[in-house]
C-alpha cells in the first residue's frame, strides 16, 4: 500500500521544495499587485487568456529570482534561524538542481511573456530578476544598510509589469503603483530585521538595526509609514480610484501608524513581528481594494 502511494508522496515533497525555492507567499502577493496593475491600466474587460498567461510568465520569472536568491544566499541561510530550514541548508536539493530549475523557469517565463504579452513587459521582468537576484543579493544586501531601500525597487515592479502588459508603455499610473510598494518595503523588512536582530548580527549583514541600532530603525519605520500614508492617497487625488478606496486606505494607514507607535513604545520582539504581519495584510488589502474600487467605478 505504501509503495502504491510513494510516487505521490515524492511528488508532493518536490512540489513543496520548488514552491519554497520560488518563495510562493511573496510571489503570490506580487501576482495580485500585477493583476491590479493590469486592471487599472484597462478601461474594458481583459480576456482571461491574457490575464492567465501574463501572470504565469511573471510568476515563473519571480520563482526563478527567488531560486537564485536561495542559491546565492545558501551560506548565509545556514547562519540564521529564520532561514536555516530552507531546502539548500537542509540538503533537500543540490545547488546544481536549483540552478537548473531557475534557468528553466526563466526560459519558460520569458517565452510565455514574449509570445502572449509584449516585449516591454518581458524585458522589465528580466530586469527585475537581475536587479533582485544579482544586484541586491550579491552587492546591496552585503554593502549598505540602505540595501532594502535601494533594492526594494525590484520587488516593487509587478504592478508596472501588469500595467505595461496592457498599455505596452510606462505611464504615471503604473509608476505610482510602484512607488506605493517601494515606500512600503522599508517598514516591512526593517520590522522583520528588528524581530530577527540576533540572526542579522550573526550573519554580519549590514541591516539597519545592526548598523544604526533598533531605536533609530523604529523611528525610520514610523517616518516611512507617514510617507506611505500620503502616497497611498494619490490614486484618489489623481482620479485613479474613488471614495471606497480612499476610506479603506485611510483606515489601513491609521492601523499602520498605530502599530508603528506601539513598536516604538515596546521593547519585545513580538511588537516587531506584529507590524511585519500587519504590513503584509496592509499591502494585500490596499491592492485588493484598489481592484474592487476599479470594478465599482466601471459599473457606475
Amino acid at each position: 500500500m505504501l509503495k502504491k502511494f510513494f510516487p505521490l508522496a515524492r511528488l508532493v515533497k518536490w512540489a513543496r521544495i520548488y514552491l519554497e525555492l520560488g518563495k510562493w507567499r511573496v510571489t503570490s502577493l506580487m501576482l495580485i499587485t500585477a493583476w491590479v496593475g493590469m486592471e487599472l491600466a484597462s478601461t474594458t474587460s481583459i480576456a482571461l487568456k491574457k490575464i492567465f498567461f501574463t501572470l504565469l510568465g511573471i510568476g515563473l520569472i519571480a520563482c526563478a529570482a527567488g531560486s537564485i536568491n536561495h542559491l546565492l544566499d545558501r551560506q548565509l541561510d545556514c547562519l540564521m534561524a529564520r532561514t536555516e530550514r530552507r531546502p539548500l541548508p537542509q540538503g533537500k536539493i543540490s545547488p546544481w538542481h536549483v540552478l537548473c530549475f531557475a534557468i528553466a523557469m526563466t526560459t519558460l517565463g520569458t517565452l510565455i511573456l514574449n509570445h502572449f504579452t509584449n516585449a516591454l513587459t518581458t524585458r522589465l521582468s528580466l530586469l527585475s530578476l537581475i536587479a533582485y537576484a544579482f544586484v541586491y543579493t550579491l552587492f546591496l544586501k552585503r554593502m549598505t544598510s540602505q540595501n532594502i531601500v535601494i533594492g526594494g525597487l525590484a520587488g516593487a515592479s509587478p504592478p508596472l509589469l501588469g500595467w505595461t502588459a496592457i498599455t505596452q508603455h510606462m505611464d504615471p499610473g503604473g509608476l505610482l503603483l510602484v512607488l506605493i510598494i517601494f515606500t512600503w518595503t522599508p517598514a516591512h523588512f526593517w520590522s522583520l530585521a528588528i524581530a530577527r536582530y540576533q540572526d542579522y548580527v550573526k550573519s554580519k549583514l549590514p541591516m539597519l538595526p545592526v548598523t544604526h541600532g533598533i531605536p533609530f530603525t523604529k523611528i525610520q519605520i514610523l517616518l516611512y509609514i507617514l510617507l506611505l500614508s500620503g502616497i497611498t492617497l494619490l490614486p484618489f487625488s489623481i482620479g485613479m480610484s474613488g471614495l471606497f478606496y480612499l476610506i479603506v486606505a485611510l483606515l489601513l494607514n491609521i492601523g499602520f501608524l498605530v502599530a508603528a507607535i506601539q513598536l516604538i513604545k515596546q521593547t519585545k520582539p513580538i511588537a516587531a513581528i506584529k507590524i511585519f504581519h500587519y504590513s503584509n495584510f496592509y499591502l494585500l488589502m490596499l491592492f485588493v481594494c484598489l481592484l474592487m474600487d476599479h470594478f465599482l467605478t466601471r459599473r457606475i
Side-chain angles (χ1 to χ4, degrees):
M1 183 65 69
L2 288 176
K3 290 182 178 180
K4 180 180 179 181
F5 291 101
F6 184 67
L8 178 60
R10 288 194 65 180
L11 182 64
V12 172
K13 171 190 171 183
W14 281 105
R16 288 176 177 172
I17 290 174
Y18 289 137
L19 285 171
E20 189 169 356
L21 287 174
K23 301 189 174 184
W24 68 270
R25 293 182 182 86
V26 176
T27 300
S28 297
L29 183 55
M30 288 172 58
L31 292 180
I32 291 172
T33 65
W35 179 31
V36 174
M38 293 180 72
E39 294 291 348
L40 292 182
S42 178
T43 56
T44 59
S45 297
I46 307 170
L48 289 178
K49 180 180 177 181
K50 177 85 168 181
I51 295 174
F52 175 78
F53 283 109
T54 297
L55 295 183
L56 178 61
I58 293 172
L60 290 173
I61 292 178
C63 285
S67 299
I68 295 171
N69 177 263
H70 274 261
L71 181 63
L72 297 177
D73 272 353
R74 63 188 185 278
Q75 301 299 330
L76 283 174
D77 288 344
C78 293
L79 303 174
M80 302 171 68
R82 182 176 68 88
T83 56
E84 65 182 4
R85 299 192 65 80
R86 286 177 171 177
L88 279 168
Q90 289 290 306
K92 296 178 180 178
I93 191 170
S94 69
W96 175 250
H97 193 152
V98 175
L99 178 62
C100 292
F101 175 70
I103 293 173
M105 293 299 99
T106 302
T107 303
L108 186 57
T110 300
L111 291 173
I112 289 172
L113 286 178
N114 204 49
H115 181 74
F116 291 99
T117 310
N118 57 61
L120 176 59
T121 304
T122 305
R123 289 195 295 266
L124 289 175
S125 297
L126 292 174
L127 183 62
S128 297
L129 181 151
I130 293 169
Y132 173 73
F134 296 103
V135 178
Y136 167 72
T137 301
L138 281 179
F139 300 104
L140 292 175
K141 188 174 184 177
R142 292 161 167 78
M143 292 175 59
T144 172
S145 61
Q146 293 298 304
N147 46 24
I148 203 61
V149 178
I150 304 169
L153 190 58
S157 65
L160 180 61
L161 301 179
W163 191 283
T164 59
I166 301 300
T167 65
Q168 299 191 43
H169 52 79
M170 292 188 285
D171 299 304
L175 294 174
L176 174 55
L177 297 178
V178 171
L179 182 61
I180 289 174
I181 302 180
F182 177 75
T183 313
W184 164 87
T185 301
H188 171 70
F189 277 99
W190 284 338
S191 60
L192 178 63
I194 291 174
R196 303 294 185 182
Y197 176 79
Q198 293 301 330
D199 274 355
Y200 286 108
V201 170
K202 188 187 298 184
S203 68
K204 297 182 180 179
L205 289 174
M207 296 299 290
L208 194 66
V210 177
T211 60
H212 290 70
I214 292 177
F216 178 82
T217 305
K218 289 180 177 180
I219 296 298
Q220 295 302 304
I221 288 173
L222 176 60
L223 293 176
Y224 266 97
I225 292 174
L226 285 169
L227 179 60
L228 177 64
S229 297
I231 291 173
T232 51
L233 302 183
L234 291 178
F236 176 78
S237 300
I238 66 174
M240 181 188 290
S241 64
L243 189 60
F244 173 75
Y245 166 78
L246 176 64
I247 294 171
V248 174
L250 287 171
L251 292 174
L252 287 170
N253 287 330
I254 291 171
F256 217 167
L257 288 169
V258 169
I261 293 170
Q262 290 177 343
L263 177 65
I264 291 174
K265 291 180 178 179
Q266 298 182 21
T267 58
K268 295 182 179 179
I270 191 171
I273 286 292
K274 285 181 178 179
I275 197 170
F276 171 75
H277 289 311
Y278 180 82
S279 67
N280 282 320
F281 170 79
Y282 173 95
L283 191 67
L284 175 62
M285 288 297 100
L286 195 75
F287 273 81
V288 166
C289 290
L290 266 173
L291 186 62
M292 292 173 63
D293 185 278
H294 176 71
F295 287 140
L296 287 171
T297 303
R298 182 188 292 175
R299 288 181 181 180
I300 294 172

